[in-house]
PDB file of all heavy atoms in Angstrom:
ATOM      1  N   MET A 399       5.265 -11.424 -81.861  1.00 54.00           N
ATOM      2  CA  MET A 399       5.817 -10.133 -82.275  1.00 54.00           C
ATOM      3  C   MET A 399       5.173  -9.647 -83.575  1.00 54.00           C
ATOM      4  O   MET A 399       4.840  -8.489 -83.742  1.00 54.00           O
ATOM      5  CB  MET A 399       7.329 -10.290 -82.480  1.00 54.00           C
ATOM      6  CG  MET A 399       8.048  -8.961 -82.595  1.00 54.00           C
ATOM      7  SD  MET A 399       8.050  -8.077 -81.027  1.00 54.00           S
ATOM      8  CE  MET A 399       9.031  -6.645 -81.480  1.00 54.00           C
ATOM      9  N   ARG A 400       4.977 -10.616 -84.478  1.00 56.00           N
ATOM     10  CA  ARG A 400       4.362 -10.273 -85.758  1.00 56.00           C
ATOM     11  C   ARG A 400       2.933  -9.784 -85.547  1.00 56.00           C
ATOM     12  O   ARG A 400       2.490  -8.839 -86.192  1.00 56.00           O
ATOM     13  CB  ARG A 400       4.374 -11.489 -86.684  1.00 56.00           C
ATOM     14  CG  ARG A 400       3.807 -11.191 -88.065  1.00 56.00           C
ATOM     15  CD  ARG A 400       3.817 -12.426 -88.923  1.00 56.00           C
ATOM     16  NE  ARG A 400       3.243 -12.152 -90.215  1.00 56.00           N
ATOM     17  CZ  ARG A 400       3.011 -13.067 -91.137  1.00 56.00           C
ATOM     18  NH1 ARG A 400       3.346 -14.347 -90.890  1.00 56.00           N
ATOM     19  NH2 ARG A 400       2.483 -12.747 -92.294  1.00 56.00           N
ATOM     20  N   GLY A 401       2.227 -10.470 -84.613  1.00 54.00           N
ATOM     21  CA  GLY A 401       0.853 -10.064 -84.334  1.00 54.00           C
ATOM     22  C   GLY A 401       0.788  -8.649 -83.792  1.00 54.00           C
ATOM     23  O   GLY A 401      -0.116  -7.885 -84.120  1.00 54.00           O
ATOM     24  N   LYS A 402       1.774  -8.284 -82.959  1.00 55.00           N
ATOM     25  CA  LYS A 402       1.804  -6.935 -82.395  1.00 55.00           C
ATOM     26  C   LYS A 402       2.029  -5.899 -83.494  1.00 55.00           C
ATOM     27  O   LYS A 402       1.411  -4.824 -83.490  1.00 55.00           O
ATOM     28  CB  LYS A 402       2.923  -6.842 -81.351  1.00 55.00           C
ATOM     29  CG  LYS A 402       2.952  -5.511 -80.609  1.00 55.00           C
ATOM     30  CD  LYS A 402       4.019  -5.528 -79.539  1.00 55.00           C
ATOM     31  CE  LYS A 402       4.054  -4.190 -78.798  1.00 55.00           C
ATOM     32  NZ  LYS A 402       5.099  -4.187 -77.727  1.00 55.00           N
ATOM     33  N   LYS A 403       2.910  -6.208 -84.451  1.00 55.00           N
ATOM     34  CA  LYS A 403       3.162  -5.288 -85.559  1.00 55.00           C
ATOM     35  C   LYS A 403       1.916  -5.107 -86.413  1.00 55.00           C
ATOM     36  O   LYS A 403       1.587  -3.993 -86.844  1.00 55.00           O
ATOM     37  CB  LYS A 403       4.314  -5.812 -86.419  1.00 55.00           C
ATOM     38  CG  LYS A 403       5.681  -5.699 -85.766  1.00 55.00           C
ATOM     39  CD  LYS A 403       6.762  -6.162 -86.719  1.00 55.00           C
ATOM     40  CE  LYS A 403       8.156  -6.013 -86.083  1.00 55.00           C
ATOM     41  NZ  LYS A 403       9.219  -6.472 -87.014  1.00 55.00           N
ATOM     42  N   LEU A 404       1.211  -6.231 -86.663  1.00 47.00           N
ATOM     43  CA  LEU A 404      -0.009  -6.142 -87.464  1.00 47.00           C
ATOM     44  C   LEU A 404      -1.057  -5.297 -86.751  1.00 47.00           C
ATOM     45  O   LEU A 404      -1.758  -4.495 -87.380  1.00 47.00           O
ATOM     46  CB  LEU A 404      -0.555  -7.548 -87.736  1.00 47.00           C
ATOM     47  CG  LEU A 404       0.259  -8.407 -88.713  1.00 47.00           C
ATOM     48  CD1 LEU A 404      -0.320  -9.803 -88.779  1.00 47.00           C
ATOM     49  CD2 LEU A 404       0.264  -7.758 -90.103  1.00 47.00           C
ATOM     50  N   ALA A 405      -1.148  -5.479 -85.435  1.00 50.00           N
ATOM     51  CA  ALA A 405      -2.104  -4.689 -84.667  1.00 50.00           C
ATOM     52  C   ALA A 405      -1.757  -3.206 -84.714  1.00 50.00           C
ATOM     53  O   ALA A 405      -2.631  -2.345 -84.865  1.00 50.00           O
ATOM     54  CB  ALA A 405      -2.149  -5.180 -83.230  1.00 50.00           C
ATOM     55  N   THR A 406      -0.462  -2.910 -84.599  1.00 56.00           N
ATOM     56  CA  THR A 406      -0.025  -1.510 -84.651  1.00 56.00           C
ATOM     57  C   THR A 406      -0.330  -0.898 -86.006  1.00 56.00           C
ATOM     58  O   THR A 406      -0.807   0.243 -86.106  1.00 56.00           O
ATOM     59  CB  THR A 406       1.485  -1.420 -84.377  1.00 56.00           C
ATOM     60  OG1 THR A 406       1.764  -1.991 -83.086  1.00 56.00           O
ATOM     61  CG2 THR A 406       1.957   0.020 -84.412  1.00 56.00           C
ATOM     62  N   ARG A 407      -0.075  -1.668 -87.058  1.00 56.00           N
ATOM     63  CA  ARG A 407      -0.383  -1.170 -88.392  1.00 56.00           C
ATOM     64  C   ARG A 407      -1.876  -0.943 -88.568  1.00 56.00           C
ATOM     65  O   ARG A 407      -2.303   0.035 -89.182  1.00 56.00           O
ATOM     66  CB  ARG A 407       0.108  -2.174 -89.445  1.00 56.00           C
ATOM     67  CG  ARG A 407       1.629  -2.240 -89.577  1.00 56.00           C
ATOM     68  CD  ARG A 407       2.024  -3.305 -90.578  1.00 56.00           C
ATOM     69  NE  ARG A 407       3.475  -3.439 -90.668  1.00 56.00           N
ATOM     70  CZ  ARG A 407       4.087  -4.383 -91.379  1.00 56.00           C
ATOM     71  NH1 ARG A 407       3.350  -5.280 -92.050  1.00 56.00           N
ATOM     72  NH2 ARG A 407       5.410  -4.442 -91.425  1.00 56.00           N
ATOM     73  N   GLY A 408      -2.652  -1.867 -88.011  1.00 50.00           N
ATOM     74  CA  GLY A 408      -4.100  -1.722 -88.099  1.00 50.00           C
ATOM     75  C   GLY A 408      -4.586  -0.472 -87.398  1.00 50.00           C
ATOM     76  O   GLY A 408      -5.452   0.244 -87.908  1.00 50.00           O
ATOM     77  N   ILE A 409      -4.028  -0.206 -86.228  1.00 56.00           N
ATOM     78  CA  ILE A 409      -4.410   0.993 -85.471  1.00 56.00           C
ATOM     79  C   ILE A 409      -4.023   2.249 -86.235  1.00 56.00           C
ATOM     80  O   ILE A 409      -4.796   3.213 -86.319  1.00 56.00           O
ATOM     81  CB  ILE A 409      -3.755   0.978 -84.076  1.00 56.00           C
ATOM     82  CG1 ILE A 409      -4.359  -0.155 -83.227  1.00 56.00           C
ATOM     83  CG2 ILE A 409      -3.945   2.318 -83.381  1.00 56.00           C
ATOM     84  CD1 ILE A 409      -3.649  -0.374 -81.916  1.00 56.00           C
ATOM     85  N   ARG A 410      -2.806   2.238 -86.796  1.00 55.00           N
ATOM     86  CA  ARG A 410      -2.357   3.402 -87.568  1.00 55.00           C
ATOM     87  C   ARG A 410      -3.227   3.616 -88.801  1.00 55.00           C
ATOM     88  O   ARG A 410      -3.570   4.759 -89.160  1.00 55.00           O
ATOM     89  CB  ARG A 410      -0.901   3.215 -87.983  1.00 55.00           C
ATOM     90  CG  ARG A 410       0.093   3.334 -86.831  1.00 55.00           C
ATOM     91  CD  ARG A 410       1.497   3.051 -87.302  1.00 55.00           C
ATOM     92  NE  ARG A 410       2.469   3.219 -86.227  1.00 55.00           N
ATOM     93  CZ  ARG A 410       3.751   2.890 -86.336  1.00 55.00           C
ATOM     94  NH1 ARG A 410       4.217   2.365 -87.468  1.00 55.00           N
ATOM     95  NH2 ARG A 410       4.564   3.080 -85.301  1.00 55.00           N
ATOM     96  N   PHE A 411      -3.593   2.525 -89.453  1.00 47.00           N
ATOM     97  CA  PHE A 411      -4.443   2.633 -90.643  1.00 47.00           C
ATOM     98  C   PHE A 411      -5.806   3.201 -90.275  1.00 47.00           C
ATOM     99  O   PHE A 411      -6.332   4.090 -90.955  1.00 47.00           O
ATOM    100  CB  PHE A 411      -4.608   1.263 -91.301  1.00 47.00           C
ATOM    101  CG  PHE A 411      -5.549   1.268 -92.479  1.00 47.00           C
ATOM    102  CD1 PHE A 411      -5.121   1.729 -93.710  1.00 47.00           C
ATOM    103  CD2 PHE A 411      -6.850   0.823 -92.340  1.00 47.00           C
ATOM    104  CE1 PHE A 411      -5.986   1.745 -94.796  1.00 47.00           C
ATOM    105  CE2 PHE A 411      -7.726   0.835 -93.420  1.00 47.00           C
ATOM    106  CZ  PHE A 411      -7.283   1.293 -94.658  1.00 47.00           C
ATOM    107  N   ALA A 412      -6.390   2.686 -89.172  1.00 49.00           N
ATOM    108  CA  ALA A 412      -7.691   3.180 -88.730  1.00 49.00           C
ATOM    109  C   ALA A 412      -7.623   4.650 -88.351  1.00 49.00           C
ATOM    110  O   ALA A 412      -8.510   5.438 -88.694  1.00 49.00           O
ATOM    111  CB  ALA A 412      -8.188   2.345 -87.550  1.00 49.00           C
ATOM    112  N   ALA A 413      -6.546   5.012 -87.639  1.00 51.00           N
ATOM    113  CA  ALA A 413      -6.383   6.416 -87.247  1.00 51.00           C
ATOM    114  C   ALA A 413      -6.234   7.318 -88.470  1.00 51.00           C
ATOM    115  O   ALA A 413      -6.805   8.411 -88.530  1.00 51.00           O
ATOM    116  CB  ALA A 413      -5.174   6.564 -86.333  1.00 51.00           C
ATOM    117  N   GLY A 414      -5.462   6.836 -89.456  1.00 55.00           N
ATOM    118  CA  GLY A 414      -5.289   7.615 -90.680  1.00 55.00           C
ATOM    119  C   GLY A 414      -6.585   7.770 -91.445  1.00 55.00           C
ATOM    120  O   GLY A 414      -6.884   8.838 -91.986  1.00 55.00           O
ATOM    121  N   THR A 415      -7.366   6.685 -91.489  1.00 52.00           N
ATOM    122  CA  THR A 415      -8.659   6.727 -92.182  1.00 52.00           C
ATOM    123  C   THR A 415      -9.603   7.709 -91.506  1.00 52.00           C
ATOM    124  O   THR A 415     -10.274   8.512 -92.171  1.00 52.00           O
ATOM    125  CB  THR A 415      -9.297   5.332 -92.206  1.00 52.00           C
ATOM    126  OG1 THR A 415      -8.418   4.417 -92.883  1.00 52.00           O
ATOM    127  CG2 THR A 415     -10.641   5.361 -92.917  1.00 52.00           C
ATOM    128  N   LEU A 416      -9.652   7.660 -90.176  1.00 45.00           N
ATOM    129  CA  LEU A 416     -10.519   8.585 -89.428  1.00 45.00           C
ATOM    130  C   LEU A 416     -10.076  10.032 -89.616  1.00 45.00           C
ATOM    131  O   LEU A 416     -10.906  10.940 -89.758  1.00 45.00           O
ATOM    132  CB  LEU A 416     -10.513   8.221 -87.941  1.00 45.00           C
ATOM    133  CG  LEU A 416     -11.261   6.944 -87.556  1.00 45.00           C
ATOM    134  CD1 LEU A 416     -11.033   6.621 -86.086  1.00 45.00           C
ATOM    135  CD2 LEU A 416     -12.755   7.077 -87.848  1.00 45.00           C
ATOM    136  N   ALA A 417      -8.761  10.247 -89.622  1.00 51.00           N
ATOM    137  CA  ALA A 417      -8.248  11.605 -89.811  1.00 51.00           C
ATOM    138  C   ALA A 417      -8.604  12.127 -91.197  1.00 51.00           C
ATOM    139  O   ALA A 417      -9.020  13.280 -91.357  1.00 51.00           O
ATOM    140  CB  ALA A 417      -6.739  11.627 -89.605  1.00 51.00           C
ATOM    141  N   THR A 418      -8.466  11.265 -92.205  1.00 55.00           N
ATOM    142  CA  THR A 418      -8.809  11.657 -93.574  1.00 55.00           C
ATOM    143  C   THR A 418     -10.292  11.970 -93.694  1.00 55.00           C
ATOM    144  O   THR A 418     -10.700  12.957 -94.318  1.00 55.00           O
ATOM    145  CB  THR A 418      -8.426  10.546 -94.561  1.00 55.00           C
ATOM    146  OG1 THR A 418      -7.024  10.286 -94.462  1.00 55.00           O
ATOM    147  CG2 THR A 418      -8.763  10.944 -95.985  1.00 55.00           C
ATOM    148  N   ALA A 419     -11.127  11.099 -93.085  1.00 48.00           N
ATOM    149  CA  ALA A 419     -12.571  11.322 -93.110  1.00 48.00           C
ATOM    150  C   ALA A 419     -12.936  12.624 -92.405  1.00 48.00           C
ATOM    151  O   ALA A 419     -13.799  13.375 -92.859  1.00 48.00           O
ATOM    152  CB  ALA A 419     -13.294  10.145 -92.458  1.00 48.00           C
ATOM    153  N   GLY A 420     -12.243  12.887 -91.274  1.00 55.00           N
ATOM    154  CA  GLY A 420     -12.505  14.121 -90.539  1.00 55.00           C
ATOM    155  C   GLY A 420     -12.157  15.355 -91.344  1.00 55.00           C
ATOM    156  O   GLY A 420     -12.901  16.342 -91.355  1.00 55.00           O
ATOM    157  N   LEU A 421     -11.022  15.300 -92.039  1.00 58.00           N
ATOM    158  CA  LEU A 421     -10.616  16.430 -92.878  1.00 58.00           C
ATOM    159  C   LEU A 421     -11.583  16.629 -94.043  1.00 58.00           C
ATOM    160  O   LEU A 421     -11.922  17.764 -94.392  1.00 58.00           O
ATOM    161  CB  LEU A 421      -9.198  16.201 -93.403  1.00 58.00           C
ATOM    162  CG  LEU A 421      -8.072  16.321 -92.369  1.00 58.00           C
ATOM    163  CD1 LEU A 421      -6.744  15.891 -92.998  1.00 58.00           C
ATOM    164  CD2 LEU A 421      -7.962  17.760 -91.851  1.00 58.00           C
ATOM    165  N   ALA A 422     -12.028  15.510 -94.639  1.00 60.00           N
ATOM    166  CA  ALA A 422     -12.975  15.601 -95.748  1.00 60.00           C
ATOM    167  C   ALA A 422     -14.299  16.201 -95.277  1.00 60.00           C
ATOM    168  O   ALA A 422     -14.901  17.042 -95.961  1.00 60.00           O
ATOM    169  CB  ALA A 422     -13.210  14.219 -96.358  1.00 60.00           C
ATOM    170  N   TYR A 423     -14.750  15.775 -94.095  1.00 61.00           N
ATOM    171  CA  TYR A 423     -15.998  16.312 -93.546  1.00 61.00           C
ATOM    172  C   TYR A 423     -15.857  17.808 -93.262  1.00 61.00           C
ATOM    173  O   TYR A 423     -16.753  18.605 -93.573  1.00 61.00           O
ATOM    174  CB  TYR A 423     -16.364  15.565 -92.273  1.00 61.00           C
ATOM    175  CG  TYR A 423     -17.580  16.118 -91.560  1.00 61.00           C
ATOM    176  CD1 TYR A 423     -18.861  15.819 -92.018  1.00 61.00           C
ATOM    177  CD2 TYR A 423     -17.441  16.939 -90.448  1.00 61.00           C
ATOM    178  CE1 TYR A 423     -19.985  16.332 -91.379  1.00 61.00           C
ATOM    179  CE2 TYR A 423     -18.554  17.457 -89.802  1.00 61.00           C
ATOM    180  CZ  TYR A 423     -19.814  17.149 -90.276  1.00 61.00           C
ATOM    181  OH  TYR A 423     -20.927  17.659 -89.642  1.00 61.00           O
ATOM    182  N   ALA A 424     -14.732  18.206 -92.667  1.00 70.00           N
ATOM    183  CA  ALA A 424     -14.508  19.622 -92.362  1.00 70.00           C
ATOM    184  C   ALA A 424     -14.486  20.457 -93.644  1.00 70.00           C
ATOM    185  O   ALA A 424     -15.053  21.555 -93.686  1.00 70.00           O
ATOM    186  CB  ALA A 424     -13.194  19.789 -91.599  1.00 70.00           C
TER     187      ALA A 424
END
């Protein structure tokens, strides 16, 4: 269960980073 939470957090972090990078590029 803990591993699943860490994976979810990792995905959210990556998505947030990509979104931030996309906004900065735009």
Side-chain angles (χ1 to χ4, degrees):
M399 193 69 177
R400 183 181 178 186
K402 185 176 180 180
K403 288 183 178 180
L404 289 174
T406 302
R407 289 177 183 174
I409 292 172
R410 289 176 177 172
F411 176 79
T415 301
L416 288 173
T418 301
L421 289 173
Y423 175 79

